[in-house]
Amino acid sequence: MDRDGPITAGKTDGLDSQDALVAAALALGAREVRGWSAEEELLSAQKRRVSRAVVADVRDRIQCGEDPLGEAFCNLRRPAERRPQGATFTPRAIVDAMVGWAAEAGAPQRVVDPGTGSGRYLVAAGLRIPNASLVGIEIDPLPAILARANLAVAGMAARSEVVLGDYRAVLLPRIGAQTLFIGNPPYVRHHLLGSRWKTWLIDEAHKRGHSASQLAGLHVHFFLATVDKAAKGDFGAFITAAEWLDVNYGSLVRELFLGELGGKRIVVIEPTALPFPDAASTAAITYFHVGAKPKRIKLKRVEKLTELKDRNGNSEVRRERLEGERRWSHLTRPGKRGPEGYIELGEICRVHRGQVTGFNKVWIAGPNSAGLPERVLFPTVTKARELFEAGNVLEDASALRRVIDLPVDLDVLSASERKAIERFLTRAKALGADKGYVATNRKAWWSVGLRSPAPILTTYMARRPPAFVCNRAQARHLNIAHGIYPREPFGPTILDNLVAYLRDTVQVTQGRTYAGGLTKFEPREVERLLVPGPELLARGPMT
Ligand SMILES: C[S@@+](CC[C@H](N)C(=O)[O-])C[C@H]1O[C@@H](n2cnc3c(N)ncnc32)[C@H](O)[C@@H]1O
């Protein structure tokens, strides 16, 4: 089946130039795939010949599931030349695992591969999903021609289209049936992206109620473009560098994952598995189902590519935890495994630092606050000692100092209350309470903004284990304590048993010890403590 390309008899190692690659691709039927462009025509106008033997060998290898054209392209263009386009092709083990998942997770009528390269995902998807149309979008005419050849040899030309263009700009018609978006969006750092596209990212994100960073790489653009092109019910999987899980510019992907994209699962691939042959970096596969809002997100970390096919072994994290955290990759690390029914505290409770006043001398009530209305004075835990001395339960708040917490809008106060407060604020201002980082970063400098009473309070810095205390007194807390807030309301039995368990089991060694022996538990470290789940806690004390 020699078509189009000029063929001569000869050796089989002849894919050593761009012209030879194009000639071979033409000979293999590249033109049969829809979407042939003027740029590709221009590339095809060369006179280079490849031998029949080369073409036959390439065809055989493609039919055996290899990608000799893609490999030759990567040999021809060194990594440094491919970097500006983010052209790192995906190893077969990854393509197969992702496509295998997709073939079971849906019944797509169309498969879209954004940044198709030599078409590895499309060919694999075409084999697993026999009736779907296959659409590749590629900005570079050379890999686009190679993808066409691969599709033609695989016998998929009639249901394939390769669009030469920028994925962000390409119009993808709605088909009224499920589309699978699958691939490896190009990884190109922001300084290689033009200002037009940076502005596009910020504007498009803004229209959807998100903010975006100028520092975002091209893969972030591809996530946003996918949300734009996809319809409810579409699904997909993208492999990218894993850094979006943690870096500031990745916040847009994190928001899309929890929002419109419908993220369901993230698999992090350790660099030891060499997910991207050209770069020793950590990768992440993001699985999504547009419109889904699962209560729990599946997370997994693999060290070998062979582990990708195993869809078990995920840990599950409540979506609220991802919503509450600015870095995600630590959540993908396997937690400590406890007995059956044990979970991380963060699965059932949020942990928040207490409020910082910025100026305790002013904001903790004393002679300075004489005349202030009772309703702006809140009994508050202001010293760790108060929790150490409380025992299991803080029953009575009367011995606690009170923090002055004024509303942001002072108009809600009566005229007489307002007068007393104005007098207090004049004194506070004279002491400089309206200055300083904390006061100037509050909604209103006069409003400390205490958190609501936490059902459980805990100290977090000492030379002994933290004191966990049931806060029946409804006391507020300053930043010498953390508040533990159940995500769903717990009855008193569960609360008491949880506090008893934490008091009995948490060791000073579970925190971070600083020079001098002081141990600190950050809120996220408290959330990672292993505790019996609510079902176990409801049955009785668990020590
Ligand atoms: C990481 S490679 C992946 C190739 C292929 N899907 C694979 O996984 O083997 C990304 C591809 O996207 C292409 N690309 C870069 N910028 C693009 C853009 N704005 N629109 C469409 N394709 C783009 C590159 O030329 C490159 O072939």
Side-chain angles (χ1 to χ4, degrees), residues 183-520:
N184 174 358
Y187 179 84
V188 180
R189 285 187 186 278
H190 75 95
H191 49 260
L192 292 174
L193 305 180
S195 60
R196 171 184 163 218
W197 285 113
K198 288 186 176 198
T199 309
W200 170 87
L201 183 80
I202 286 164
D203 290 349
E204 289 303 309
H206 185 72
K207 278 186 212 157
R208 297 182 164 273
H210 303 292
S211 56
S213 162
Q214 298 261 5
L215 307 182
L218 186 54
H219 57 301
V220 176
H221 294 217
F222 269 49
F223 272 104
L224 185 61
T226 301
V227 163
D228 194 42
K229 294 174 198 312
K232 195 164 179 225
D234 290 347
F235 72 121
F238 285 156
I239 184 166
T240 58
E243 62 195 34
W244 67 263
L245 295 170
D246 296 323
V247 296
N248 287 345
Y249 78 69
S251 66
L252 176 59
V253 182
R254 297 195 292 274
E255 284 173 23
L256 293 174
F257 181 91
L258 293 173
E260 302 93 306
L261 194 63
K264 284 186 146 178
R265 181 172 177 239
I266 300 170
V267 176
V268 171
I269 309 175
E270 299 280 12
T272 44
L274 278 184
F276 302 125
D278 296 340
S281 61
T282 312
I285 305 179
T286 306
Y287 294 91
F288 54 91
H289 216 120
V290 177
K293 207 171 176 196
K295 282 206 162 108
R296 310 179 83 82
I297 308 295
K298 291 185 175 164
L299 301 173
K300 188 169 166 174
R301 213 163 238 276
V302 299
E303 286 176 0
K304 296 192 198 102
L305 295 186
T306 46
E307 294 168 46
L308 282 177
K309 281 213 163 120
D310 179 3
R311 275 168 235 144
N312 300 315
N314 301 288
S315 58
E316 293 200 358
V317 171
R318 286 174 79 108
R319 68 183 298 110
E320 291 89 339
R321 274 184 93 183
L322 298 180
E323 281 164 1
E325 301 227 7
R326 285 164 52 194
R327 292 173 205 282
W328 288 2
S329 62
H330 71 102
L331 295 170
T332 67
R333 290 179 208 288
K336 291 150 272 172
R337 290 232 174 269
E340 181 76 19
Y342 279 59
I343 50 176
E344 286 187 5
L345 179 65
E347 285 298 298
I348 49 174
C349 297
R350 286 170 295 137
V351 179
H352 288 303
R353 291 174 200 287
Q355 192 53 278
V356 181
T357 69
F359 204 157
N360 282 358
K361 226 162 105 186
V362 168
W363 300 111
I364 294 182
N368 57 331
S369 55
L372 284 179
E374 284 293 309
R375 67 170 167 140
V376 301
L377 304 177
F378 295 85
T380 302
V381 172
T382 59
K383 291 182 176 152
R385 181 166 46 78
E386 293 159 350
L387 291 178
F388 283 119
E389 289 171 358
N392 284 18
V393 181
L394 182 68
E395 294 277 10
D396 179 10
S398 59
L400 297 176
R401 298 192 292 174
R402 295 186 299 170
V403 168
I404 302 161
D405 196 7
L406 303 172
V408 173
D409 178 7
L410 295 175
D411 290 342
V412 301
L413 299 161
S414 69
S416 64
E417 287 176 329
R418 186 76 191 254
K419 255 192 188 157
I421 285 167
E422 297 293 356
R423 276 198 299 275
F424 165 75
L425 290 181
T426 308
R427 290 196 299 275
K429 243 181 160 171
L431 290 169
D434 58 335
K435 310 244 161 37
Y437 180 80
V438 176
T440 51
N441 280 285
R442 289 203 277 250
K443 271 195 193 140
W445 70 266
W446 57 81
S447 184
V448 169
L450 290 170
R451 284 188 181 279
S452 57
I456 301 173
L457 291 168
T458 176
T459 58
Y460 68 91
M461 196 150 66
R463 288 188 167 75
R464 52 177 164 167
F468 293 91
V469 177
C470 213
N471 179 19
R472 281 216 256 284
Q474 301 270 305
R476 312 300 174 107
H477 64 289
L478 290 190
N479 62 325
I480 49 79
H482 295 332
I484 301 182
Y485 297 83
R487 295 186 187 274
E488 281 155 28
F490 287 157
T493 311
I494 294 187
L495 271 185
D496 288 349
N497 289 339
L498 178 58
V499 166
Y501 179 83
L502 290 165
R503 288 179 76 87
D504 279 355
T505 57
V506 176
Q507 307 280 321
V508 76
T509 47
Q510 287 168 274
R512 254 181 239 188
T513 304
Y514 290 80
L518 199 64
T519 299
K520 203 169 163 188

